[in-house]
Every structure is written in C-alpha cells, then in structure tokens.
C-alpha cells in the first residue's frame, strides 16, 4: 500500500479482526489487535529486533489477543512520516530517534546538543533514571499525540564523507553533510565549519549518489546496515552526538486500550529498553568489522577539544532556557 493511501484510511493503527476499531475503550479492549510498528532500519537491527521480541511477549501474555506487526526498512516512509502516522493513529508503534522530536518537545532537544553525554554509560544512567522518566512523561503529556514508552541505545554519531578523513575542525570546511531534520543539527554542523543539510534518512543515499551532500553522520550500525560506506568511505570518529532512540505509541490507539493492556505494554517496553542495549553493543562491534571489511577508512580524532569549543554557540542558543536540566544531566555520575 502506498503511504498516502495508508494515511487516507485513517485507521487507528490497528488491524482489528473484530469491529473493534473506533469503538469505545471497553469493547475495543477485548478485540484482537495487531499493533502496527515501524522502524527505518531492517529486520535484525537492534531496535527492530527488540520491538519484534516485545511483540512476541505481548502475544504470549494475551494468548494472541495483542501482537505486533513490524514494518521495517522505511516501508512506511522516513521518520517524519512515521511520527505523523503515529500521531494520527495510522500506526501504533514507531521507533524514532530523539533527533526529530526536539522541535516537538523542547526539553528533549537537550539530548540533541553536541557532546551532551560523556559516554554511553552516562547516557544510559540518564535515560534509566529520573530524568529519563520525566522526559518520557513530558512527551506523553505534551500535545504531540504520542505516548513515550521507553528509550533505546543508539551509540555515538561520527561524520563520514567521500572526500577525506576528518582530523580537525578545518577539515570540515566546505563539506556538505546531511543532518537530521532539526535546526539544532544544522547549526551544529555549521558551527563546526561544515555545511549542514537537513533531510530525511530515506533521502540520504540518493543525495550522496547525486552529490547533493558529500556525506553524513551516524553510528556504526546505521552506516553499515545502510551501506553508506559505498558512497562515503571516510568515517571519522568525531563523536559529536550521542542521541538515544525513543519508542512511541500512538495516543489515539492508546486510548482504545484497557489499563491492563497499557500496563502490559509499558512493562514489555521497559524490558525492551534493556534488551536492545545488549543487542546494540554486539551490533556495534559487528558493524565496525563489516564496514572496515567493506572498505571504510576509519580514523580516530585525536583532539576533540576544538570541536567541543566550536559548538559553544549551539549550546548558548538551544541550552540557555534549559540550564537546570542540563546541570542535572551533567551531575549524573
Ligand atoms: C539512526 C537512527 C534513526 C534515524 C537516523 C537518521 O536510528 O532513527 O532516522 O539515524 O540519521 O541512527 O536519520
């Protein structure tokens, strides 16, 4: 089905085998529901696998009444489209990056600040703790029409391009680098001296092929599974962003579920947060190996201080109104 047709249907993100769609909560709660889930990544990718496993648990716990149908590999469009479909209830579950959620829930944008987290352990402590819970709640209480279920690891993002290895801020001069659709990222790349170009993940390969951009930035698994090394072989460990993923549920579909089902989904989602993490670290290692075998030229960036200094204006612009939250994140040890 084409994306547009899919949207036109306007179904509540569920394929109910009874006439449960659109009925008030108690009737719908009893109906058999297939929750549509989507991800930009392919089957086997840690985030996809974690949601597939979550679906199996739901199926077992409800004797098949609740299940998850996964649409991987951008089958339902890029992240922007995924968010929109979850908002209108055309799909139930979307696994998205916090990246594009920043403009929707301003506090979330703090996770999108360059060099926000010291390392994976710091990021994990933040998302597993009170701040993580508060931000999921902020999202659920916002006008975004989404329920925040859980977080997932997505490692560190590094710059890659088809011209040369990046060692210093100067090396980025003149390079057109694709960034996720959120002004904070374009500003980040521009303050580093490159030219940030915002576009969807679904448009990136085409943009690299046609020279609209010279490269992009992402973690090892996205670079490897998307085969981006074929278009941009210099992968430089700039480590400028560490952005967790977020699993969201359509608020419209959520409202048709019983409290018991909502609690069950929350429970398996929290488990998915930890399960994805284990899968993530395995996949990072495998992806690094595969991309190098496929010809990627990976380099360390010895001195990151000039990169950190260069993004100061981004912190001033996006962080000023969230100083207290930033301090709390930094205080997490
Ligand atoms: C990947 C995220 C994915 C984003 C993509 C991007 O897993 O959700 O869509 O980056 O750069 O790391 O758009």
């Amino acid at each position: 089905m084409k994306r547009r047709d899919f949207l036109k249907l306007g179904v509540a993100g569920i394929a109910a085998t009874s006439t449960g769609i659109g009925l008030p909560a108690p009737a719908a709660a009893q109906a058999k529901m297939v929750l549509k889930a989507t991800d930009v990544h392919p089957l086997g990718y840690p985030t996809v696998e974690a949601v597939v496993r979550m679906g199996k648990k739901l199926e077992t716990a409800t004797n098949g009444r609740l299940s998850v149908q996964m649409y991987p590999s951008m089958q339902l469009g890029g992240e922007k489209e995924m968010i929109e479909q979850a908002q209108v209830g055309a799909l139930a579950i979307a696994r998205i990056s916090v990246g594009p959620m920043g403009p929707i829930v301003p506090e979330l944008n703090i996770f999108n600040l360059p060099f926000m987290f010291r390392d994976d352990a710091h990021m994990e402590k933040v998302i597993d703790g009170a701040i993580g819970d508060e931000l999921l709640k902020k999202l659920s209480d916002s006008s975004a029409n989404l329920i925040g279920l859980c977080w997932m690891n997505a490692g560190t993002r590094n710059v890659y391009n088809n011209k040369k290895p990046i060692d210093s801020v100067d090396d980025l001069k003149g390079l057109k680098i694709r960034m996720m659709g959120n002004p904070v990222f374009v500003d980040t790349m521009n303050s580093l001296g490159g030219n940030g170009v915002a576009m969807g993940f679904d448009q990136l390969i085409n943009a690299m092929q046609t020279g609209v951009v010279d490269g992009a930035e992402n973690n090892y698994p996205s670079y490897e599974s998307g085969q981006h090394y074929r278009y941009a072989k210099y992968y430089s460990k700039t480590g400028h962003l560490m952005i967790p993923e977020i699993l969201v549920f359509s608020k419209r579909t959520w409202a048709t579920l019983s409290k018991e089902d909502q609690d069950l989904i929350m429970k398996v989602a929290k488990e998915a947060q930890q399960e994805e993490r284990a899968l993530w670290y395995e996949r990072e290692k495998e992806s690094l190996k595969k991309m190098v075998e496929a010809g990627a030229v990976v380099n360390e960036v010895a001195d990151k201080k000039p990169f950190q200094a260069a993004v100061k204006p981004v912190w001033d612009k996006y962080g000023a109104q969230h100083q207290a939250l930033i301090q709390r994140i930094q205080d997490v040890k």
Side-chain angles (χ1 to χ4, degrees):
M1 201 186 314
K2 284 214 196 79
R3 215 185 297 153
R4 294 251 168 268
D5 301 338
F6 187 84
L7 275 175
K8 262 191 243 149
L9 283 178
V11 293
I14 53 172
T17 49
S18 74
T19 51
I21 295 174
L23 289 181
Q30 296 314 314
K32 188 165 175 169
M33 274 180 149
V34 180
L35 302 163
K36 294 195 168 108
T38 192
D39 195 306
V40 296
H41 298 300
L43 286 176
Y45 194 94
T47 53
V48 180
E49 178 60 22
V51 173
V52 167
R53 290 186 189 181
M54 192 179 123
K56 290 200 182 118
K57 285 191 197 171
L58 284 180
E59 228 173 310
T60 308
T62 62
N63 286 321
R65 187 172 49 79
L66 293 184
S67 61
V68 167
Q69 172 72 50
M70 171 57 74
Y71 293 83
S73 306
M74 300 189 255
Q75 282 175 22
L76 304 181
E79 264 189 356
K80 191 168 165 287
E81 291 79 12
M82 288 166 45
I83 296 171
E84 286 164 6
Q85 289 171 56
Q87 286 175 322
V88 300
L91 63 81
I93 300 174
R95 198 290 308 152
I96 53 188
S97 167
V98 169
M101 292 302 294
I104 304 177
V105 181
E107 287 84 357
L108 280 180
N109 227 12
I110 298 310
F111 284 2
N112 294 329
L113 286 176
F115 303 105
M116 178 71 242
F117 298 106
R118 294 186 297 275
D119 50 26
D120 287 302
H122 180 211
M123 191 278 291
E124 286 171 8
K125 268 210 147 160
V126 172
I127 59 175
D128 288 353
I131 298 174
D133 291 345
E134 283 167 34
L135 289 182
L136 286 180
K137 186 166 182 316
K138 271 245 149 66
L139 166 62
S140 306
D141 292 345
S142 76
S143 57
N145 274 326
L146 299 169
I147 300 288
L149 293 184
C150 68
W151 305 98
M152 291 187 181
N153 280 50
T156 302
R157 297 176 76 101
N158 301 301
V159 172
Y160 47 92
N161 78 96
N162 60 14
K163 299 273 192 282
K164 60 186 172 196
I166 306 300
D167 278 312
S168 68
V169 172
D170 276 352
D171 292 331
L172 279 167
K173 285 229 162 66
L175 290 183
K176 290 172 285 181
I177 303 294
R178 176 268 171 175
M179 304 300 285
M180 281 191 278
N182 175 341
V184 70
F185 302 129
V186 173
D187 285 347
T188 294
M189 186 43 66
N190 292 350
S191 66
L192 288 171
N195 297 324
V197 182
M199 68 177 72
F201 195 57
D202 50 325
Q203 297 168 304
L204 175 54
I205 290 194
N206 193 267
M208 287 194 288
Q209 273 174 328
T210 54
V212 168
V213 294
D214 302 306
E217 44 81 61
N218 222 316
N219 49 43
Y220 302 148
S222 295
Y223 176 75
E224 173 265 313
S225 81
Q227 301 191 357
H228 295 175
Y229 47 79
R230 292 171 59 190
Y231 316 97
K233 73 171 181 176
Y234 298 107
Y235 187 98
S236 308
K237 293 174 69 179
T238 47
H240 56 287
L241 287 168
M242 183 174 274
I243 307 177
E245 318 273 31
I246 194 163
L247 195 64
V248 297
F249 202 97
S250 166
K251 213 181 232 182
R252 200 172 145 184
T253 311
W254 192 252
T256 70
L257 297 171
S258 67
K259 174 81 172 55
E260 289 71 37
D261 284 349
Q262 290 177 348
D263 290 348
L264 175 66
I265 292 170
M266 276 295 177
K267 177 177 163 278
V268 292
K270 298 293 168 211
E271 291 166 9
Q273 177 162 328
Q274 299 304 323
E275 284 171 27
E276 190 267 354
R277 185 167 298 172
L279 295 169
W280 179 260
Y281 288 117
E282 279 308 304
R283 179 61 181 248
E284 268 193 330
K285 274 186 255 158
E286 277 167 37
S287 290
L288 178 60
K289 189 164 169 276
K290 277 194 195 158
M291 61 199 236
V292 169
E293 277 166 11
V297 179
V298 180
N299 73 288
E300 297 288 337
V301 174
D303 186 9
K304 294 213 192 99
K305 291 234 169 59
F307 289 81
Q308 286 161 350
V311 297
K312 168 103 182 15
V314 180
W315 276 67
D316 294 343
K317 181 168 169 189
Y318 295 91
Q321 64 276 43
H322 300 292
Q323 272 313 315
L325 178 59
I326 291 177
Q327 191 60 52
R328 281 180 66 207
I329 295 176
Q330 288 174 333
D331 287 347
V332 173
K333 292 276 148 50

